Amino acid sequence: MDENLFRKHLTNINKRKNNKEEIILHIKENTGVELDESTITLSKKIITLHISSATRQRLFQKNITEILKQKGYILKI
């Protein structure tokens, strides 16, 4: 097997993980709501949150869609 293929794959995984951590930190700083990596699905620039309705409501009260737009992400509801 080609080592470059595995290296590319690992690079993409690390990049996606770093993006998730960046999003989680940005959400926490702006809303005060702390999320886990397992609650976020990231597909290119589209974010899907897998959270309870109470947490979702708190995020929408803090205007989460605008907060994510600042970073260039779109929230899929």
Side-chain angles (χ1 to χ4, degrees), residues 29-50:
E29 287 175 350
N30 289 294
T31 65
V33 177
E34 193 168 335
L35 301 173
D36 292 329
E37 280 187 43
S38 62
T39 60
I40 295 178
T41 302
L42 181 60
S43 175
K44 296 183 182 179
K45 290 289 185 172
I46 299 173
I47 298 173
T48 306
L49 298 175
H50 308 284

Side-chain angles (χ1 to χ4, degrees), residues 12-60:
N12 287 336
I13 290 171
N14 287 335
K15 186 176 180 183
R16 200 171 310 129
K17 184 177 179 181
N18 289 341
N19 287 343
K20 277 187 177 183
E21 289 174 356
E22 179 183 324
I23 291 166
I24 290 170
L25 182 61
H26 187 67
I27 290 172
K28 185 178 179 184
E29 287 175 350
N30 289 294
T31 65
V33 177
E34 193 168 335
L35 301 173
D36 292 329
E37 280 187 43
S38 62
T39 60
I40 295 178
T41 302
L42 181 60
S43 175
K44 296 183 182 179
K45 290 289 185 172
I46 299 173
I47 298 173
T48 306
L49 298 175
H50 308 284
I51 54 178
S52 69
S53 59
T55 306
R56 184 179 305 269
Q57 187 64 30
R58 283 191 357 208
L59 287 175
F60 280 108

Side-chain angles (χ1 to χ4, degrees), residues 52-69:
S52 69
S53 59
T55 306
R56 184 179 305 269
Q57 187 64 30
R58 283 191 357 208
L59 287 175
F60 280 108
Q61 286 176 350
K62 305 275 184 170
N63 206 3
I64 188 67
T65 53
E66 290 300 319
I67 291 170
L68 293 175
K69 277 185 184 177

